Amino acid sequence: MKTATAATMSKRPYAHPLDHLTGDEVVHAAEIVRGERAGMNFVFNTITLKEPPKPVMMSYLGWDKSKPRITHVEREAFVIILEKPTMKVYEAVVSLDNETIKSWKYVPDVQPILTMDEMFEVEELVLKDEGVRAECAELGIKDMSNVFADPWAIARHVNYPGRSKRMMQALMYMRTCEDDNQYAHPLDFVPIIDLGTMKVVDIERIKPRNSKFTRPTIPQMNHNFLPEFIGEENMRKDIKPIIVQQPQGVSFTVKGNEIDWQKWNMRISMNYREGLVIHNVSYKDGDETRPLFYRIAMSEMVVPYADPNTPHHRKHAFDVGEYGMGLCTNSLTLGCDCLGSIYYFDACFNDHNGKPFHVPNAICLHEEDHGVLFKHTDYRNGRAHTVRSRRLVISQIVTVANYDYALYYYFYQDGTFEYEVKATGELNTHVMAEDETPGDYGVTVAPQINAQYHQHFFTMRIDPMIDGPNNSVVQYDSYTSPFPTGHERNKYGNAFLAKPTVLKDTFEAQTTANFETSRFWKIINESRIHPYAKEPVGWKIMSNNMSPFYPSEESVVAQRAPFAKKGLWVTPYNENQMFAGGFYCNQSDGTDNLEVWANRERQNVQNTDIVVWFSFAVTHLPRVEDFPVMPVEHVSMMMKPANFFMCNPALDVPPTNKKVNLSTIAPQPHNDKSSSCCGNNRL
Amino acid sequence: MKTATAATMSKRPYAHPLDHLTGDEVVHAAEIVRGERAGMNFVFNTITLKEPPKPVMMSYLGWDKSKPRITHVEREAFVIILEKPTMKVYEAVVSLDNETIKSWKYVPDVQPILTMDEMFEVEELVLKDEGVRAECAELGIKDMSNVFADPWAIARHVNYPGRSKRMMQALMYMRTCEDDNQYAHPLDFVPIIDLGTMKVVDIERIKPRNSKFTRPTIPQMNHNFLPEFIGEENMRKDIKPIIVQQPQGVSFTVKGNEIDWQKWNMRISMNYREGLVIHNVSYKDGDETRPLFYRIAMSEMVVPYADPNTPHHRKHAFDVGEYGMGLCTNSLTLGCDCLGSIYYFDACFNDHNGKPFHVPNAICLHEEDHGVLFKHTDYRNGRAHTVRSRRLVISQIVTVANYDYALYYYFYQDGTFEYEVKATGELNTHVMAEDETPGDYGVTVAPQINAQYHQHFFTMRIDPMIDGPNNSVVQYDSYTSPFPTGHERNKYGNAFLAKPTVLKDTFEAQTTANFETSRFWKIINESRIHPYAKEPVGWKIMSNNMSPFYPSEESVVAQRAPFAKKGLWVTPYNENQMFAGGFYCNQSDGTDNLEVWANRERQNVQNTDIVVWFSFAVTHLPRVEDFPVMPVEHVSMMMKPANFFMCNPALDVPPTNKKVNLSTIAPQPHNDKSSSCCGNNRL
């Protein structure tokens, strides 16, 4: 193995310490562990890059000049194994350079992330279970091959508390034929599975609310969206193609996982959990390369459901921590998910056997025209100057059972950074009895189909480096002048102002959106004062998609996802604090998460190495129009320079014109532009 | 004249009662007025279509089937003239069919909209004024051809109260050379102009705040963005073109001003004031053409500034009512403002002499790819179904002195309607003395240049017709269950709900955004119940860009723009209530506007012919990066079906694929996708 690996390594001219593990490295790490733990019966839950410590990387990248530059970084894998049948959890750090286990640790009372292997195993197990078959039979199902189980994390179960057992719950559906939409045929019972014994240990019936029936029938009406169900003859015929091309090539260059695009430079990786990660972002400002962000990724997600009936209180998927934005990522298809000239990156994870689990085309990189970047016309002489905006798009799409999330990192020419989630896919549906209603907690999207109200919280972990590692966060609140109209400081009553507040410590730095004050935040570097604005250089952080967290404080989800109760948190950098819901999020009990870290003691977050946790959200009251497949719902956050540069940094973007982009006049019978200028109405 | 007109009319095969006036019709209307008022000395302020009454149009369009269908609608112009030199205002309704003045009215104590003629006349006058020349001389200006005046509406002036005189104020700037950016060189005085006598009647100096200087010098540093100032050699060289083409043609058809696009049908027009107007919107739902909106347009805009010093309290432009979104509209250029296959419409207004003032290419119509419309992957077999979104874009761009607004109406395949404002152009700048600061009211974007905090409110007038003319508005508020955790109705604490409230009358129907409750609204038709959702069919109305109105209640702007204090108003339909700030908005005194109409008495707005007034906004604290030209700031509102259709109405959009859109793999040295699937890191 040693020779092969060395050969592989030597062929990787662009290998970088932050590159995710290759397939060979996954195999290699697994073999090292298996070699040293030959007697154990276990599965590989996780094999992933152990990212080098930030201080090491700061030196390696040349950003920390206080010490001699580190030029070699040891390549390490982080491995989690589950012992069978005890389901005991062990963590290993494996040196790929030295081919040894560097550390080995038994971790009691935790449950690591769920794997794709487990999804398939659990479904198979459930469908074979006698109790499940009896339930199905009672519902009139004759053919078990039409029954499907979506395995979900258990959250917290009253009969199976704690984390000593590895548990799941399964939401049950039926299909009437191949590729039929199962979410149109939900069943009314929920098997509970013990993954240690691989047994269904309980089956819960969901009782109808205010119904004369003891159990609902299965809704039989089909609601499909796949082309064979719609029928070619029923498709719209009047959509002419739009072709997007870059005949002179793309404007970005890629070396390994490093991306250069105009003044931006960054590096990407994809891991099993956060999916896409953006590393080491900088922007070239004249001769100076100014660092902006050490690392940006979606740290956690949570989707609480509103319905008070059991088992809906257990439906609050942590799609990052329980299922993994990497593990659930799609292999993308040219011309479907993105249009134009596309560069793909692949991803690689592991399966239970320690084999690579490859996802070709997992990451899409391309450019998009984004409309007008700026325009001004001098109305005196009509001279117009228009510059069009271009954005660099780095994206992935994940499927977590019914829901699909398309995730986009955008970089713009004027320094704007945007992260957008397009939520699509299928609503989680719940069956109702014929006489049942969703109450105040959902909408009937089709007979007997309840699409329950829910929320989506997306929590970004932003490790900033605005002109250096020591940053602070300032909160801005706008408000009407407190002086009455006529007062010398508000003579005419029009005065309003914006008040900045530095968030000094972890107690102050846990704050929500505020509509009344048009609140936003800035990440600033207090050691660099803007020559014009006379205040620290900064980067604004904002979202128009923030939402209160509606579940009560005592709910399971509030205890497991307290990070979602606040829109912005700031903590001191700590390499062990990567995931807002805790590293062992699956079956988490609320003892290890962002709220716990922030509230442990009052910790300074001013002018130091900080991490910003930013949550944006949408409260989703489904519409009938979201069924059977949901048109994209857009949710996003944005960061942009705010008194950082000396002027609009995109002034050097050349104006576009027709000669270059070949726009044309659309032929239409009455669009003869050679006629008089007011002519289209006066033929 | 009669013969010529008849000939002109007969050549208009697509003439429709809602088409804006042609150039010939403008001339014709002016000649009729001039003919009947031969002895008067006046200028034409406005010559525009008098839109036929809604009851007439409802019959003409076939939407009111209760009476025999009206097949001919009289063509009328609405004309406002200003008598010279008294500046008395007269309104005339002119029948173009019968070539007579149908009505003639003297309107005391009002001032109609400002015209482009007046902009140019006032600037010329100001620059010739001896007092202005003396001010310039004292500031060291030797060449008056370098001085520029932006004429602004006066708002309300303490020395010239009321509306008996037609007044303006001028903001003063300097250029150092041709096409230099004047907003980098603001001057410190404001001439006040009487348009009746055409004289500068006052010159106000803006006093520095907390400064040792009695007056600021002129900032001499240049801040430019036009290409000749940036220099070809300094432009980015690494932006490769993106070409957007529709080789098979566009998907829309245009007949006159009627647009058909997939299941949407609508009609557009452009008038001097609101600019683009969308009329008679419907969506085809199977065999049924379902009416949605009778008329949508931007009714008013207001931009209050935060700085309490005079004359900034008078800076709160009503860009619709004082300047006109039609009068200020740009003539668009192919390949600059929009990309792809473009269809243009022209616009036509009038000048002071009653001649047509043509704007070729005033309206841009085109299609855009808009990313993923919906996608779902079955994770079991990896089968993905992706459908891309297309939108129809109808847009215009206006320049109001320093600011530029690009205005976009979007129609999407899933029934979504969006209105987006892209705010760009130049910040209003104010000169400071060398030792002065902006206080808490602005930011120093360059030495001595203060970009003051301000807000932009955009108020849409939406005349809905959701499945018929009688509609209601429901407000939705989400909130945590009031029952404590453990209560039988909230056993596990996760319950939250959404409460609908019908806004019954004009007192209830004046409401603001509410972050705490994720508030949105629906326009519903109570006479049509959705078969699944068991509630009235509806159309959701929402914006993530709403903002409190920060000026105090007693300020001039709060009195003139009370509509901006609330996010949503509903009033009964009234053909005289078209503009939220009143028809005679220029120099308005607060006696005629939306707040006055709503508060006059408690008027029913439930299940009747209603108008919805929706304001979205942005509170803009400028950044140095917004200078000298501002990257686009996006602000928008959205309406979409909510339990209106029987399912996602875009299910019949065919999936796109590479064969059609010709997407390609971007050539890059290391993007050899024929190699292993995890290959890009393992060369």
Side-chain angles (χ1 to χ4, degrees):
Chain A
M1 203 52 214
K2 201 156 203 160
T3 326
T5 308
T8 309
M9 296 300 287
S10 68
K11 280 191 203 158
R12 299 173 65 250
Y14 298 113
H16 184 278
L18 296 175
D19 286 348
H20 45 253
L21 297 186
T22 63
D24 288 347
E25 287 178 322
V26 167
V27 170
H28 192 201
E31 299 213 347
I32 293 166
V33 173
R34 223 183 262 113
E36 296 200 24
R37 292 294 180 277
M40 269 180 87
N41 179 20
F42 62 84
V43 298
F44 288 98
N45 174 273
T46 299
I47 302 176
T48 194
L49 174 72
K50 180 167 166 56
E51 283 185 25
K54 187 171 170 185
V56 170
M57 285 309 300
M58 291 291 284
S59 170
Y60 182 91
L61 295 165
W63 283 350
D64 177 1
K65 299 189 198 310
S66 66
K67 301 182 276 283
R69 188 159 177 173
I70 294 171
T71 54
H72 178 76
V73 178
E74 192 174 356
R75 188 78 169 160
E76 295 176 344
F78 180 72
V79 179
I80 296 174
I81 66 167
L82 271 170
E83 197 176 20
K84 291 274 191 172
T86 60
M87 304 308 263
K88 281 188 178 171
V89 176
Y90 295 86
E91 289 179 359
V93 176
V94 175
S95 170
L96 294 169
D97 291 355
N98 300 323
E99 309 199 307
T100 55
I101 297 180
K102 286 186 68 174
S103 75
W104 178 267
K105 191 167 73 171
Y106 165 57
V107 190
D109 199 31
V110 297
Q111 287 301 338
I113 198 163
L114 299 165
T115 64
M116 291 310 291
D117 293 274
E118 286 168 328
M119 297 294 154
F120 292 116
E121 288 168 10
V122 166
E123 182 167 39
E124 196 183 337
L125 157 77
V126 164
L127 300 184
K128 285 182 183 155
D129 181 79
E130 283 312 315
V132 168
R133 286 171 171 256
E135 287 290 329
C136 291
E138 188 176 321
L139 286 169
I141 295 174
K142 296 193 174 62
D143 180 358
M144 281 303 290
S145 74
N146 286 336
V147 179
F148 291 82
D150 278 6
W152 277 54
I154 190 82
R156 186 188 302 168
H157 195 291
V158 62
N159 296 339
Y160 309 94
R163 306 204 270 184
S164 58
K165 286 189 174 154
R166 187 164 176 83
M167 309 291 295
M168 291 193 85
Q169 57 186 335
L171 304 190
M172 304 300 298
Y173 306 93
M174 194 195 79
R175 290 185 189 172
T176 63
C177 61
E178 195 183 340
D179 287 333
D180 179 32
N181 176 15
Q182 69 194 49
Y183 301 104
H185 314 290
L187 312 185
D188 70 338
F189 64 93
V190 181
I192 308 295
I193 301 98
D194 179 333
L195 279 84
T197 61
M198 279 310 265
K199 284 208 166 72
V200 174
V201 293
D202 203 353
I203 296 177
E204 297 178 359
R205 286 258 190 99
I206 307 175
K207 288 190 191 62
R209 180 164 42 204
N210 304 325
S211 168
K212 65 180 179 186
F213 301 102
T214 50
R215 83 182 293 190
T217 56
I218 307 171
Q220 295 295 328
M221 196 189 287
N222 284 343
H223 300 274
N224 281 298
F225 56 88
L226 289 171
E228 64 265 36
F229 294 100
I230 302 297
E232 179 73 26
E233 67 284 7
N234 298 313
M235 293 284 192
R236 299 188 193 197
K237 304 285 186 297
D238 50 0
I239 310 173
K240 303 289 173 59
I242 286 182
I243 294 173
V244 180
Q245 288 176 317
Q246 294 193 277
Q248 296 177 29
V250 293
S251 317
F252 52 78
T253 55
V254 178
K255 281 188 195 169
N257 290 323
E258 183 185 359
I259 300 167
D260 247 311
W261 184 69
Q262 300 184 48
K263 295 172 167 181
W264 289 99
N265 178 274
M266 71 209 66
R267 173 169 289 286
I268 61 169
S269 69
M270 181 176 272
N271 65 53
Y272 73 107
R273 181 157 182 165
E274 298 156 290
L276 248 172
V277 181
I278 309 289
H279 304 271
N280 311 338
V281 181
S282 65
Y283 192 95
K284 207 158 187 312
D285 180 17
D287 293 334
E288 188 185 0
T289 295
R290 298 175 74 175
L292 298 173
F293 302 99
Y294 181 73
R295 193 180 193 281
I296 304 175
M298 183 146 73
S299 159
E300 196 47 273
M301 242 194 83
V302 67
V303 188
Y305 282 77
D307 196 299
N309 272 17
T310 178
H312 309 306
H313 71 292
R314 289 201 313 261
K315 277 195 324 210
H316 47 257
F318 289 74
D319 291 319
V320 176
E322 291 176 339
Y323 307 96
M325 290 283 138
L327 299 181
C328 295
T329 207
N330 290 186
S331 184
L332 302 173
T333 307
L334 191 64
C336 295
D337 301 300
C338 292
L339 232 56
S341 294
I342 312 296
Y343 184 97
Y344 287 116
F345 297 85
D346 302 334
C348 189
F349 314 109
N350 67 284
D351 68 11
H352 275 191
N353 296 319
K355 296 242 163 62
F357 155 31
H358 288 300
V359 183
N361 298 355
I363 301 170
C364 169
L365 171 68
H366 78 305
E367 291 176 271
E368 288 180 355
D369 175 86
H370 193 247
V372 171
L373 174 57
F374 52 80
K375 177 175 187 179
H376 181 61
T377 300
D378 186 338
Y379 76 90
R380 290 171 179 81
N381 59 14
R383 179 172 177 188
H385 180 57
T386 311
V387 172
R388 291 191 70 82
S389 174
R390 185 72 63 86
R391 65 181 179 190
L392 185 76
V393 188
I394 311 174
S395 61
Q396 68 166 127
I397 303 182
V398 300
T399 299
V400 192
N402 56 298
Y403 250 105
D404 300 74
Y405 298 99
L407 309 169
Y408 301 83
Y409 287 92
Y410 301 115
F411 296 86
Y412 295 84
Q413 291 163 310
D414 67 343
T416 301
F417 164 94
E418 189 181 3
Y419 182 70
E420 184 179 43
V421 176
K422 298 185 187 175
T424 181
E426 300 201 54
L427 295 165
N428 177 267
T429 52
H430 164 58
V431 62
M432 293 186 295
E434 285 88 332
D435 61 347
E436 201 181 346
T437 72
D440 296 322
Y441 312 108
V443 65
T444 307
V445 294
Q448 288 184 256
I449 308 286
N450 178 5
Q452 294 162 334
Y453 298 161
H454 58 277
Q455 304 190 278
H456 299 258
F457 289 87
F458 306 94
T459 301
M460 307 300 291
R461 181 183 178 279
I462 299 160
D463 185 345
M465 209 166 70
I466 305 297
D467 274 336
N470 292 338
N471 290 169
S472 311
V473 173
V474 195
Q475 178 165 293
Y476 279 80
D477 291 293
S478 296
Y479 57 98
T480 299
S481 170
F483 302 105
T485 303
H487 185 281
E488 63 166 334
R489 290 174 66 180
N490 192 18
K491 199 163 170 196
Y492 307 98
N494 64 304
F496 66 90
L497 41 153
K499 185 183 153 197
T501 309
V502 176
L503 305 176
K504 295 197 200 69
D505 58 55
T506 52
F507 289 6
E508 288 180 10
Q510 35 184 288
T511 169
T512 57
N514 187 331
F515 169 76
E516 295 305 327
T517 67
S518 305
R519 181 173 288 171
F520 66 89
W521 299 267
K522 266 193 212 173
I523 306 171
I524 60 167
N525 187 325
E526 296 188 53
S527 63
R528 184 161 176 173
I529 303 300
H530 193 285
Y532 296 163
K534 309 285 187 211
E535 61 175 42
V537 295
W539 215 268
K540 193 172 170 177
I541 176 166
M542 57 193 285
S543 171
N544 293 319
N545 300 111
M546 298 180 83
S547 173
F549 183 80
Y550 290 124
S552 296
E553 193 73 27
E554 303 79 12
S555 63
V556 177
V557 64
Q559 289 168 34
R560 298 185 64 213
F563 56 87
K565 297 187 293 185
K566 304 284 167 66
L568 179 135
W569 307 72
V570 189
T571 56
Y573 175 83
N574 179 329
E575 69 172 328
N576 296 319
Q577 295 174 0
M578 295 296 288
F579 304 105
F583 180 78
Y584 289 105
C585 174
N586 184 22
Q587 294 177 241
S588 64
D589 60 1
T591 54
D592 181 42
N593 57 53
L594 176 52
E595 187 185 56
V596 172
W597 309 329
N599 287 343
R600 193 169 285 154
E601 60 180 326
R602 191 183 283 271
Q603 301 151 69
N604 175 56
V605 292
Q606 185 177 7
N607 203 11
T608 186
D609 189 0
I610 56 170
V611 170
V612 180
W613 309 78
F614 189 80
S615 290
F616 57 102
V618 59
T619 295
H620 189 191
L621 314 184
R623 307 170 297 147
V624 170
E625 289 81 0
D626 292 329
F627 191 72
V629 66
M630 190 178 131
V632 155
E633 181 99 12
H634 298 255
V635 203
S636 67
M637 60 147 315
M638 193 179 266
M639 298 195 282
K640 53 183 178 179
N643 308 336
F644 182 85
F645 296 109
M646 294 299 282
C647 62
N648 177 343
L651 292 186
D652 60 350
V653 177
T656 49
N657 63 58
K658 181 183 159 293
K659 265 180 266 173
V660 173
N661 63 46
L662 306 178
S663 288
T664 55
I665 295 291
Q668 286 277 331
H670 307 289
N671 198 18
D672 177 7
K673 298 300 292 184
S674 62
S675 72
S676 110
C677 60
C678 209
N680 64 301
N681 288 328
R682 345 173 2 227
L683 300 175
Chain B
M1 204 53 213
K2 205 155 204 161
T3 328
T5 307
T8 309
M9 295 301 286
S10 68
K11 281 190 205 159
R12 300 174 64 249
Y14 299 110
H16 184 278
L18 295 175
D19 285 349
H20 45 252
L21 296 186
T22 65
D24 289 348
E25 287 178 322
V26 167
V27 169
H28 192 201
E31 298 213 347
I32 293 166
V33 172
R34 222 183 262 113
E36 295 200 26
R37 291 295 180 276
M40 270 180 85
N41 178 20
F42 63 82
V43 297
F44 289 97
N45 174 274
T46 299
I47 302 175
T48 194
L49 174 71
K50 181 168 166 54
E51 283 185 23
K54 188 171 171 185
V56 171
M57 285 309 299
M58 291 291 283
S59 171
Y60 182 90
L61 296 165
W63 283 349
D64 177 2
K65 299 190 198 309
S66 66
K67 301 182 277 282
R69 189 159 176 173
I70 295 172
T71 55
H72 177 75
V73 178
E74 192 175 354
R75 187 78 170 160
E76 295 177 343
F78 180 72
V79 179
I80 296 173
I81 67 166
L82 271 169
E83 195 176 23
K84 290 274 190 171
T86 59
M87 304 308 264
K88 281 186 177 171
V89 175
Y90 296 86
E91 288 178 358
V93 175
V94 174
S95 169
L96 293 168
D97 290 355
N98 299 323
E99 308 201 307
T100 56
I101 297 181
K102 287 186 67 173
S103 76
W104 177 266
K105 189 167 74 171
Y106 165 58
V107 190
D109 199 32
V110 297
Q111 287 300 338
I113 200 164
L114 299 165
T115 64
M116 291 309 292
D117 293 275
E118 286 168 329
M119 298 293 154
F120 292 115
E121 287 168 10
V122 165
E123 182 166 40
E124 195 183 336
L125 158 77
V126 164
L127 300 183
K128 282 182 184 156
D129 180 79
E130 283 311 316
V132 169
R133 287 173 170 255
E135 287 290 330
C136 290
E138 189 177 318
L139 287 169
I141 295 172
K142 296 193 172 64
D143 181 359
M144 281 303 290
S145 74
N146 286 336
V147 179
F148 292 81
D150 278 6
W152 278 54
I154 191 82
R156 186 189 301 167
H157 194 290
V158 62
N159 296 339
Y160 309 94
R163 307 204 270 183
S164 58
K165 286 189 173 153
R166 187 165 176 83
M167 309 290 297
M168 292 192 85
Q169 56 186 337
L171 303 191
M172 305 299 299
Y173 305 93
M174 194 195 78
R175 291 184 187 172
T176 63
C177 62
E178 196 183 340
D179 286 334
D180 180 33
N181 176 13
Q182 69 194 49
Y183 301 103
H185 314 289
L187 311 186
D188 70 338
F189 64 94
V190 181
I192 309 295
I193 301 98
D194 180 332
L195 278 84
T197 61
M198 281 308 268
K199 283 207 167 72
V200 173
V201 293
D202 203 354
I203 296 177
E204 296 179 1
R205 287 256 190 100
I206 307 175
K207 288 190 190 63
R209 180 166 41 205
N210 305 326
S211 167
K212 66 179 181 189
F213 301 101
T214 51
R215 81 181 295 188
T217 56
I218 308 172
Q220 295 296 327
M221 196 189 286
N222 283 343
H223 300 275
N224 281 297
F225 57 87
L226 289 171
E228 64 265 36
F229 294 101
I230 303 295
E232 180 71 28
E233 68 284 6
N234 297 314
M235 293 285 192
R236 300 187 192 196
K237 304 286 186 294
D238 50 0
I239 311 174
K240 302 291 172 59
I242 286 182
I243 293 173
V244 180
Q245 288 176 317
Q246 294 192 276
Q248 297 177 29
V250 293
S251 317
F252 52 80
T253 55
V254 177
K255 280 188 197 168
N257 290 322
E258 183 185 358
I259 300 166
D260 246 314
W261 184 70
Q262 301 184 50
K263 294 172 166 182
W264 289 100
N265 178 275
M266 71 210 68
R267 173 168 289 286
I268 61 169
S269 69
M270 180 176 273
N271 66 52
Y272 73 106
R273 183 157 180 165
E274 298 155 290
L276 248 172
V277 181
I278 309 289
H279 304 271
N280 310 340
V281 180
S282 65
Y283 191 95
K284 208 158 185 313
D285 180 17
D287 292 334
E288 186 185 3
T289 296
R290 299 176 72 176
L292 298 173
F293 301 99
Y294 181 73
R295 193 182 192 279
I296 304 175
M298 184 146 72
S299 159
E300 196 48 273
M301 242 195 82
V302 66
V303 188
Y305 282 77
D307 196 301
N309 273 16
T310 179
H312 308 306
H313 70 294
R314 288 201 312 263
K315 276 194 322 210
H316 46 259
F318 290 74
D319 290 319
V320 176
E322 292 176 339
Y323 308 97
M325 290 282 140
L327 298 181
C328 295
T329 207
N330 291 186
S331 183
L332 302 173
T333 307
L334 191 63
C336 295
D337 301 300
C338 292
L339 231 56
S341 294
I342 312 297
Y343 185 95
Y344 287 116
F345 296 85
D346 303 334
C348 188
F349 314 109
N350 68 283
D351 69 10
H352 275 191
N353 296 318
K355 296 242 164 63
F357 154 32
H358 288 300
V359 183
N361 299 356
I363 301 169
C364 169
L365 171 69
H366 77 304
E367 290 175 271
E368 288 179 355
D369 175 87
H370 194 246
V372 171
L373 173 57
F374 52 79
K375 177 175 187 178
H376 180 61
T377 300
D378 187 337
Y379 76 90
R380 290 170 179 82
N381 58 14
R383 180 171 176 188
H385 179 57
T386 310
V387 172
R388 292 192 68 82
S389 174
R390 186 71 64 87
R391 66 182 178 190
L392 184 76
V393 188
I394 311 176
S395 62
Q396 68 166 128
I397 302 182
V398 300
T399 299
V400 192
N402 55 299
Y403 251 106
D404 300 74
Y405 299 99
L407 309 169
Y408 301 82
Y409 288 93
Y410 301 114
F411 296 86
Y412 295 83
Q413 290 163 309
D414 66 343
T416 300
F417 163 93
E418 189 181 2
Y419 181 71
E420 184 179 43
V421 177
K422 298 184 187 176
T424 180
E426 300 202 54
L427 295 165
N428 177 269
T429 52
H430 164 58
V431 62
M432 293 185 294
E434 286 85 334
D435 61 347
E436 203 181 344
T437 71
D440 296 322
Y441 312 108
V443 64
T444 307
V445 293
Q448 287 185 259
I449 308 286
N450 178 4
Q452 294 162 334
Y453 299 161
H454 59 276
Q455 304 189 280
H456 300 258
F457 289 87
F458 305 93
T459 301
M460 305 301 290
R461 180 182 177 281
I462 299 160
D463 185 346
M465 208 166 70
I466 305 298
D467 273 336
N470 292 338
N471 290 169
S472 311
V473 173
V474 194
Q475 180 166 291
Y476 279 80
D477 291 293
S478 296
Y479 57 97
T480 299
S481 170
F483 302 105
T485 303
H487 184 281
E488 63 166 336
R489 290 175 64 181
N490 191 19
K491 198 162 170 195
Y492 307 98
N494 64 306
F496 66 91
L497 40 152
K499 183 183 154 200
T501 309
V502 176
L503 305 175
K504 293 198 201 68
D505 59 53
T506 52
F507 290 5
E508 288 180 10
Q510 35 183 292
T511 169
T512 57
N514 188 331
F515 169 76
E516 295 305 326
T517 66
S518 305
R519 181 173 291 171
F520 66 87
W521 300 267
K522 265 194 211 174
I523 306 171
I524 60 167
N525 187 325
E526 297 187 51
S527 63
R528 185 162 176 172
I529 303 301
H530 192 285
Y532 296 162
K534 309 284 187 212
E535 60 175 42
V537 295
W539 214 268
K540 192 172 172 178
I541 175 166
M542 57 193 284
S543 171
N544 293 320
N545 299 111
M546 298 181 83
S547 173
F549 183 80
Y550 290 124
S552 295
E553 194 72 27
E554 304 79 12
S555 63
V556 178
V557 64
Q559 290 168 35
R560 298 186 64 217
F563 57 85
K565 297 187 292 184
K566 305 284 166 64
L568 178 135
W569 308 71
V570 189
T571 56
Y573 175 82
N574 179 330
E575 70 172 326
N576 296 317
Q577 296 174 1
M578 295 296 290
F579 305 105
F583 180 78
Y584 289 106
C585 173
N586 184 23
Q587 293 178 240
S588 65
D589 60 1
T591 54
D592 181 41
N593 57 53
L594 175 52
E595 186 184 56
V596 171
W597 309 329
N599 287 342
R600 193 170 286 154
E601 59 179 326
R602 191 182 284 270
Q603 300 150 71
N604 175 56
V605 291
Q606 186 176 7
N607 204 12
T608 185
D609 189 1
I610 55 169
V611 171
V612 179
W613 309 79
F614 189 81
S615 290
F616 58 101
V618 58
T619 296
H620 189 191
L621 314 183
R623 307 169 298 147
V624 171
E625 289 80 1
D626 291 330
F627 191 72
V629 66
M630 191 179 132
V632 156
E633 181 100 13
H634 298 255
V635 203
S636 67
M637 61 147 316
M638 193 178 266
M639 297 196 283
K640 53 183 178 179
N643 308 336
F644 181 84
F645 295 109
M646 294 298 283
C647 63
N648 177 344
L651 291 186
D652 60 349
V653 178
T656 49
N657 62 57
K658 181 184 161 292
K659 266 180 263 172
V660 173
N661 64 46
L662 307 179
S663 289
T664 55
I665 295 292
Q668 287 277 333
H670 308 289
N671 199 18
D672 178 8
K673 297 300 291 183
S674 62
S675 73
S676 110
C677 61
C678 208
N680 64 301
N681 289 328
R682 349 176 352 230
L683 300 176

